[in-house]
């Protein structure tokens, strides 16, 4: 018959094995996901089950990819516009709190606007907000809206016509983009924030916060 000491030894041995297994998983996942999953979050996910751990790893990977895309877009500009990754990530986090879009989605939109549209600073922030409002107003995803905005910033506005956005003829590329921003702000301004206040928007916001 097992004594109390024997039972204690079994418990200690089980805890040691569990700790070793968790450390192995932590090392493997953090090696892939960098610093995007804290050990506490990983431990909670491990204890909750493999499906939760897999989801945590996926979300960490998405965040890492968004950071890499945004950083690469800034690097390709050679730092000439003075924007920093931290500032843009902070802006993306602010948008996540007021819209249905995750910070990953916002960062991907920023990367498009930087790479294709060569936007920065206040102009980038304004275009990012306009992309979110356009996406909400047209019922398209943020990446699609940002792509339209980025192309327009680079001088290509033909694709906007299918959505009923017609720009004046004879304008320079810079004037066309200024006119586009004006039209979007007049027609769709604030729609991303309004959408976040609907029932569906609240559910989307809860999902976004849960994913974080």
């Amino acid at each position: 018959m097992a004594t109390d000491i024997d039972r204690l030894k079994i418990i200690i041995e089980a805890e040691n094995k569990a700790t070793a297994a968790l450390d192995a998983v932590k090392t493997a996942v953090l090696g892939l996901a960098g610093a995007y999953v804290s050990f506490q979050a990983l431990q909670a996910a491990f204890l909750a089950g493999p499906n939760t751990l897999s989801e945590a790893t996926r979300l960490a990977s998405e965040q890492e990819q968004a950071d890499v895309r945004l950083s690469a877009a800034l690097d390709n500009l050679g730092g000439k516009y003075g924007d920093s990754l931290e500032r843009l990530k902070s802006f993306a986090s602010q948008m996540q709190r007021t819209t249905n879009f995750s910070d990953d989605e916002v960062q991907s939109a920023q990367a498009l606007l930087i790479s294709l549209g060569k936007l920065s600073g206040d102009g980038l922030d304004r275009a990012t907000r306009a992309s979110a409002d356009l996406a909400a107003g047209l019922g398209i995803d943020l990446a699609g809206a940002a792509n339209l905005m980025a192309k327009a910033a680079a001088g290509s506005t033909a694709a906007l016509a299918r959505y009923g956005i017609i720009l004046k003829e004879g304008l320079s590329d810079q004037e066309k983009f200024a006119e586009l921003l004006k039209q979007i702000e007049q027609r769709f301004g604030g729609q991303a924030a309004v959408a976040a206040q609907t029932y569906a928007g609240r559910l989307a916001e809860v999902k976004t916060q849960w994913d974080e």
Side-chain angles (χ1 to χ4, degrees):
M1 186 173 182
T3 65
D4 289 340
I5 293 178
D6 292 331
R7 294 192 187 95
L8 182 59
K9 287 181 178 178
I10 292 172
I11 291 173
I12 292 173
E13 183 179 358
E15 287 181 345
N16 288 338
K17 288 182 179 179
T19 300
L22 189 57
D23 285 341
V25 173
K26 177 187 117 175
T27 300
V29 175
L30 290 183
L32 292 174
Y36 296 96
V37 180
S38 68
F39 176 65
Q40 290 78 9
L42 184 59
Q43 185 178 38
F46 181 83
L47 295 176
N51 290 336
T52 304
L53 178 60
S54 176
E55 179 69 4
T57 305
R58 181 187 67 79
L59 293 172
S61 177
E62 289 179 357
Q63 178 65 65
E64 182 181 33
Q65 290 172 25
D67 282 0
V68 167
R69 282 193 294 268
L70 186 54
S71 180
L74 287 172
D75 288 344
N76 288 338
L77 292 181
K80 68 177 70 174
Y81 296 113
D83 255 327
S84 70
L85 179 63
E86 290 309 310
R87 189 195 78 78
L88 296 180
K89 287 178 66 175
S90 176
F91 181 85
S93 295
Q94 290 173 14
M95 284 201 64
Q96 176 178 273
R97 290 193 290 270
T98 57
T99 71
N100 291 334
F101 302 113
S102 70
D103 55 355
D104 299 355
E105 291 175 302
V106 176
Q107 285 181 222
S108 294
Q110 290 171 315
L112 271 174
L113 293 166
I114 293 169
S115 298
L116 298 180
K118 308 301 181 187
L119 298 173
S120 64
D122 292 339
L124 174 60
D125 294 348
R126 187 181 176 192
T128 305
R129 283 191 291 266
S131 296
D133 287 333
L134 184 64
L138 297 180
I140 61 178
D141 61 27
L142 181 56
N147 190 46
L148 288 172
M149 293 292 295
K151 288 180 177 178
S156 177
T157 58
L160 294 165
R162 76 182 65 173
Y163 298 105
I165 301 175
I166 310 297
L167 302 177
K168 299 174 184 177
E169 296 292 335
L171 299 176
S172 67
D173 290 347
Q174 186 175 2
E175 289 171 335
K176 281 183 180 179
F177 189 63
E179 176 66 19
L180 172 62
L181 285 173
K182 181 179 177 181
Q183 283 199 35
I184 290 176
E185 288 168 353
Q186 288 177 342
R187 295 168 60 178
F188 304 108
Q191 289 208 22
V194 170
Q197 302 306 311
T198 64
Y199 177 71
R202 292 289 188 180
L203 291 179
E205 183 180 359
V206 168
K207 180 181 182 302
T208 297
Q209 294 300 329
W210 176 262
D211 287 348
E212 291 299 306

